[in-house]
Amino acid sequence: MSEEKGYKKQYKLVRCRINGVEREVMVDVRASLTDMLRNDYSLTSVKKGCEVGECGACNVIIDGECFNSCIYLAVWADGKDIRTLEGLMGPNGELSDIQQAFIDEAAVQCGFCTPGVIMSAVEILENVEKTGGEYTRDELRKLLSGHLCRCTGYENILNAVEKTMKKRLAE
């Protein structure tokens, strides 16, 4: 074990499924899931924004629930099923319906926060599919409130999520 600023590094083997692929890696027990996903697997859709769980740029889905990966320790991912934006694409690189809706509704500008917002939208849409219920615009606004976007304004984001929700419910 190496010394770093007077602390002994401790490592643990983490086995999990990332975007449908079984993975295992040794991680520093202090490392965040964001760091593991970006550094060990080059999943750069997981953004480092605030690093304190307030901006939502790092959101990923873990066992069906959205989490801020910056405040989720990598060691907690052991045995979990993790999805990132990269996992939404089809087998030939085609975009998912929610990704396409973000483009169609101009819900992106700089794109920094977009992956995290889309992952929250995925959780919302999957809940809609499970229950068959529909969220109102105000409910969608509240469900997406954990994101900071400095570029787009939120109306186009709401439009994209609402459009995809209604389309899925109609199918």
Side-chain angles (χ1 to χ4, degrees), residues 27-97:
V27 298
D28 184 322
V29 295
R30 300 168 294 171
S32 70
L33 182 57
T34 301
D35 289 334
M36 182 184 91
L37 294 171
R38 288 182 62 84
N39 299 341
D40 295 316
Y41 298 107
S42 299
L43 296 169
T44 56
S45 73
V46 182
K47 304 297 186 203
K48 280 188 143 188
C50 67
E51 296 191 69
V52 293
E54 292 184 1
C55 76
C58 66
N59 276 13
V60 298
I61 295 179
I62 303 169
D63 290 342
E65 187 177 347
C66 220
F67 285 92
N68 293 45
S69 65
C70 70
I71 57 173
Y72 193 99
L73 290 176
V75 294
W76 296 343
D78 193 47
K80 305 288 185 184
D81 183 24
I82 300 164
R83 285 188 292 159
T84 68
L85 188 76
E86 289 88 349
L88 298 183
M89 290 190 293
N92 298 314
E94 60 273 7
L95 298 177
S96 67
D97 59 348

Side-chain angles (χ1 to χ4, degrees), residues 138-150:
D138 283 339
E139 289 170 328
L140 289 174
R141 185 175 281 112
K142 185 175 181 180
L143 289 167
L144 292 167
S145 66
H147 293 276
L148 295 177
C149 176
R150 293 183 168 94

Side-chain angles (χ1 to χ4, degrees), residues 105-107 137 141 152-162:
E105 297 298 321
R137 195 160 177 91
R141 185 175 281 112
T152 65
Y154 295 95
E155 289 306 306
N156 292 352
I157 292 169
L158 284 168
N159 292 343
V161 177
E162 185 176 49

